[in-house]
Amino acid sequence: PFVHLCGNRYVDRVEATTEIKVYSNQSEVTLLVDEDVLAAEYFGCHPCINTSSLRLKVEDVFGKFLEAVHHEYLTVTLVGEE
């Protein structure tokens, strides 16, 4: 199984919105988000290219955006070495 999220590679966009596409060979996927990510003010990611990074407000991504596109997520607690 695989899931691939992508959008345009151009980081300095003039448009107010960016289309994000999700490709998968599964009929359904679940978004899992670590509780530490949700506790932070910002969320960092690469826009399908490792030479650029995005810094987005957690509230904008996991609140406004996911609500607007009618998607939900599950909060998880990841345990690892400290």
Side-chain angles (χ1 to χ4, degrees):
F2 84 94
V3 174
H4 178 72
L5 304 173
C6 64
N8 290 334
R9 293 177 185 251
Y10 182 61
V11 177
D12 297 320
R13 296 173 177 82
V14 295
E15 300 88 8
T17 60
T18 299
E19 183 177 279
I20 304 292
K21 296 180 182 179
V22 179
Y23 297 97
S24 178
N25 61 355
Q26 303 298 297
S27 61
E28 192 174 295
V29 297
T30 301
L31 176 60
L32 304 176
V33 182
D34 180 34
E35 66 182 357
D36 290 342
V37 171
L38 296 174
E41 183 176 0
Y42 291 96
F43 170 73
C45 60
H46 297 289
C48 296
I49 185 168
N50 289 335
T51 58
S52 300
S53 295
L54 295 176
R55 181 179 173 205
L56 306 167
K57 283 195 166 191
V58 168
E59 178 184 330
D60 290 344
V61 175
F62 297 103
K64 297 174 187 175
F65 173 73
L66 289 180
E67 183 178 309
V69 296
H70 309 289
H71 289 290
E72 297 177 353
Y73 62 88
L74 295 177
T75 303
V76 297
T77 302
L78 299 179
V79 180
E81 295 181 29
E82 294 196 24

